[in-house]
Amino acid sequence: MPSQSPMDIALSLAEEAASHGEAPVGAVVMEGEVILAAERNRMKALNDPTAHAEMLAIRAALARRGTGRLDGCDLYVTLEPCAMCAGAVAHTRLRRVYFAAEDTKAGAVENGIRLFDQPTCHHHPEVIAGLGASRSEAMLRAFFQALR
Ligand SMILES: [Zn+2]
């Protein structure tokens, strides 16, 4: 077992994102006990609005796995995935999604379009919400308060 849980690693990456002026979101893809990828938001650094932590982690995990799928793998992310990232989860067939804080504004799993519940979504990962939520919420609150 790694000394830190996957969500702890994702939370540390979120912290690192904030220290670089990026919205604090971190994501980790696990295959069993193995960390396939660990990423954070890099939208500003890459000038890429699609460079969400989940997208970067999913792409890195795909590159490492080399099968074109992430079936049997789990995503840990500090904020509820948006529609784009939830779409990427469905396309790559991740087994489980653990997310920390809810995102009532841009979330697409338990808020908004609830992508995985749509009849046009053909993959239904197991979703576990709330792990590490208070730490993630505090980080997000502090980051967006500082922007005002
Ligand atoms: Zn996203």
Side-chain angles (χ1 to χ4, degrees), residues 3 9 11 14 22-23 26 30 35 37 40-41 44 69 73 82-83 96 102 109 113 119 121 125 132 136 144-146:
S3 54
I9 296 167
L11 286 161
E22 306 269 6
M30 300 293 295
I35 299 171
R40 61 169 173 84
N41 253 349
K44 283 169 84 175
R69 281 188 179 190
C73 300
C82 72
R96 263 182 224 125
E102 246 190 88
V109 176
I113 61 168
C121 183
S136 177
F144 288 107
Q145 263 163 15

Side-chain angles (χ1 to χ4, degrees), residues 56-141:
L56 298 176
I58 285 170
R59 285 179 182 144
L62 283 167
R64 207 169 145 197
R65 209 165 183 230
T67 63
R69 281 188 179 190
L70 296 175
D71 51 314
C73 300
D74 302 329
L75 173 71
Y76 292 77
V77 57
T78 59
L79 182 64
E80 180 179 351
C82 72
M84 171 180 69
C85 295
V89 166
H91 282 295
T92 55
R93 304 186 163 273
L94 276 151
R95 177 176 64 178
R96 263 182 224 125
V97 177
Y98 294 82
F99 74 81
E102 246 190 88
D103 186 351
T104 55
K105 288 189 181 128
V109 176
E110 301 209 327
N111 289 282
I113 61 168
R114 302 178 66 102
L115 183 78
F116 304 136
D117 297 341
Q118 298 301 317
T120 51
C121 183
H122 304 296
H123 176 69
H124 305 279
E126 190 182 342
V127 174
I128 297 114
L131 190 67
S134 56
R135 207 175 135 198
S136 177
E137 282 159 14
M139 249 188 279
L140 288 156
R141 214 168 20 245

Side-chain angles (χ1 to χ4, degrees), residues 20-73:
H20 287 79
E22 306 269 6
V25 183
V28 173
V29 176
M30 300 293 295
E31 181 172 19
E33 307 278 287
V34 178
I35 299 171
L36 283 186
E39 283 288 347
R40 61 169 173 84
N41 253 349
R42 294 184 193 274
M43 290 181 284
K44 283 169 84 175
L46 299 176
N47 250 336
D48 179 356
T50 73
H52 291 187
E54 303 97 302
M55 294 299 291
L56 298 176
I58 285 170
R59 285 179 182 144
L62 283 167
R64 207 169 145 197
R65 209 165 183 230
T67 63
R69 281 188 179 190
L70 296 175
D71 51 314
C73 300

